[in-house]
Amino acid sequence: MDRYDVTIIGGGPVGLFGAALASLHGMKTKLIESLPQLGGQLYTLYPEKYVYDVAGFPKVLAKDLAEQLIDQALRYHPTVCLSQTVNDLEMLDDGAYRVHTLSESHESRTILITSGLGSFTPRKLPQASAEPFVDRGIHYFVPAMSHFQGQRVVVVGGGDSALDWALAIAEPAAHVTLVHRRGEFRGQQETVRQLEEHPRVSIRTFSECAEFQGGTRLESVVLIDHRDKSQHVVVADAVVAALGFLPDLGALKTWGLTLDGSSIVVEGPMRTNRPGIYAAGDVVAYEGKEKLIATGFGEIGNALGHIRGYLDPKKRGGLPHSSNIKMD
Ligand SMILES: Cc1cc2nc3c(=O)[nH]c(=O)nc-3n(C[C@H](O)[C@H](O)[C@H](O)COP(=O)(O)OP(=O)(O)OC[C@H]3O[C@@H](n4cnc5c(N)ncnc54)[C@H](O)[C@@H]3O)c2cc1C
């Protein structure tokens, strides 16, 4: 089995920057991601939103930032494994590690955990009638906007994600119905205003989906208004359930790492309590931690500076400036 210097678990923005930096600095690098695509929250949760607080990008669409990060990471040819969720960890006699996914095992001298919110577990629609239509009209992960061309779409939820998706989907869609069980939205009021003024959007507050109906595919949704218990049938080709995601470390919880809830406690240069295992990005906890892309990038620099010295004590003292490295 090929042994790597560093294996990065999670291909979100922080793991991608980690893959770029580790391979740029000559470490033999592997990146393992549980989803079929890289990009983490940027791609999965808010691809169509603008981000304004990443250094060097005054304003950038989340999906474009993800593409830039993927491009930067792949430039230095790390090994990338997609659709593999890391479950088990085994420490070898010489202090290296073997991590296991359902399909493969990977050996590495160090591990860098950048698993963010964990493998994204969407909050499910509670109605039993939803289940047969998952991926036959009901989406927990939003497909490309072109998928909704000319469709009648119901978006469920009251937070920023629901509002953003409703607005983005209203462009290709024939009509969007936004359904929220409360009277007020938790998301940005400016987006609520844009939705209220949109000619192809209807908003139904105090309402919930009571039943999903159809044959082999979804055809309609029965809504119930809690105020007077009245029912209303909406013809629908698609439902986007934007009810949020549950952070879950999954099997990483059982690795003997010091945890703070669903986060991994790190100290100094992003070191966990286990030798050779580091963590960075949304998954970590330390005093003053901010869950931002910018802080995740800084943490990666600290982690890899230390990992490089851990792998080769002659290289202790931090990462050299990249401007001194001759690259194509
Ligand atoms: C709606 C929204 C808007 C946001 N806006 C901003 C903003 O404007 N500015 C900003 O700085 N931040 C913003 N954030 C936060 C930002 O997206 C996160 O801080 C950032 O994505 C964290 O990156 P990460 O790489 O640590 O984790 P993630 O992006 O969560 O990526 C982790 C990756 O690890 C994978 N993974 C998890 N477990 C495993 C496993 N066991 N095996 C293999 N792979 C695994 C996951 O599938 C995922 O792809 C926003 C977040 C949301 C939800």
Side-chain angles (χ1 to χ4, degrees):
M1 189 184 300
D2 245 6
R3 181 173 281 197
Y4 283 76
D5 291 326
V6 55
T7 292
I8 301 172
I9 302 172
V14 178
L16 283 166
F17 187 52
L21 217 56
S23 31
L24 170 70
H25 287 288
M27 293 171 240
K28 189 173 172 186
T29 306
K30 184 177 267 184
L31 176 63
I32 307 177
E33 165 58 48
S34 60
L35 295 176
Q37 93 265 342
L38 297 166
Q41 293 175 48
L42 292 175
Y43 251 156
T44 315
L45 300 191
Y46 58 108
E48 307 290 336
K49 269 183 96 120
Y50 281 104
V51 175
Y52 303 90
D53 54 358
V54 172
F57 290 93
K59 175 182 176 183
V60 60
L61 268 180
K63 67 178 180 192
D64 293 342
L65 178 60
E67 265 157 35
Q68 292 288 326
L69 284 159
I70 293 167
D71 184 46
Q72 186 182 26
L74 298 188
R75 184 170 290 236
Y76 308 114
H77 311 295
T79 301
V80 177
C81 305
L82 296 177
S83 304
Q84 287 197 43
T85 301
V86 174
N87 295 316
D88 291 335
L89 173 86
E90 190 188 337
M91 192 176 197
L92 305 175
D93 290 343
D94 61 358
Y97 290 98
R98 196 174 287 152
V99 293
H100 303 277
T101 69
L102 280 183
S103 54
E104 248 188 287
S105 297
H106 310 266
E107 225 169 86
S108 191
R109 292 181 63 201
T110 63
I111 305 286
L112 176 53
I113 302 171
T114 53
S115 57
L117 287 177
S119 28
F120 297 105
T121 312
R123 283 182 210 274
K124 298 282 170 63
L125 291 159
Q127 295 77 17
S129 57
E131 196 48 40
F133 298 114
V134 173
D135 296 330
R136 290 181 183 169
I138 294 183
H139 304 279
Y140 290 109
F141 294 97
V142 183
M145 287 302 102
S146 55
H147 178 93
F148 299 108
Q149 191 65 46
Q151 290 197 346
R152 292 149 301 183
V153 184
V154 172
V155 176
V156 187
D160 272 325
S161 288
L163 298 176
D164 289 342
W165 285 125
L167 203 54
I169 293 168
E171 290 319 303
H175 191 265
V176 170
T177 306
L178 176 61
V179 178
H180 182 36
R181 64 196 164 102
R182 299 193 197 285
E184 298 280 318
F185 288 96
R186 293 188 311 281
Q188 290 200 12
Q189 289 314 300
E190 171 54 21
T191 318
V192 176
R193 190 193 58 74
Q194 289 179 44
L195 286 163
E196 283 168 347
E197 288 174 4
H198 201 291
R200 291 190 303 283
V201 174
S202 321
I203 299 180
R204 287 194 167 262
T205 47
F206 298 106
S207 296
E208 237 174 297
C209 300
E211 196 185 345
F212 300 89
Q213 300 173 328
T216 52
R217 291 196 60 81
L218 179 78
E219 288 166 15
S220 58
V221 182
V222 181
L223 302 180
I224 183 161
D225 187 319
H226 289 307
R227 289 167 297 188
D228 57 7
K229 304 289 174 218
S230 60
Q231 295 204 344
H232 178 84
V233 179
V234 180
V235 177
D237 307 293
V239 167
V240 169
L243 302 172
F245 286 81
L246 299 163
D248 184 14
L249 264 182
L252 275 64
K253 277 190 288 230
T254 63
W255 288 10
L257 300 167
T258 305
L259 302 179
D260 176 358
S262 249
S263 304
I264 298 171
V265 175
V266 289
E267 49 155 42
M270 315 313 293
R271 233 181 357 219
T272 71
N273 58 311
R274 293 199 63 171
I277 304 188
Y278 298 77
D282 273 14
V283 74
V284 300
Y286 56 83
E287 195 184 340
K289 166 67 185 170
E290 296 280 348
K291 293 195 178 190
L292 287 174
I293 297 161
T295 49
F297 288 169
E299 290 160 8
I300 279 294
N302 289 338
L304 285 167
H306 203 265
I307 288 173
R308 191 165 170 267
Y310 178 92
L311 292 167
D312 180 356
K314 289 199 292 294
K315 292 183 177 161
R316 283 197 181 131
L319 295 173
H321 288 157
S322 69
S323 49
N324 291 333
I325 304 173
K326 226 170 172 254
M327 301 293 294
D328 290 337

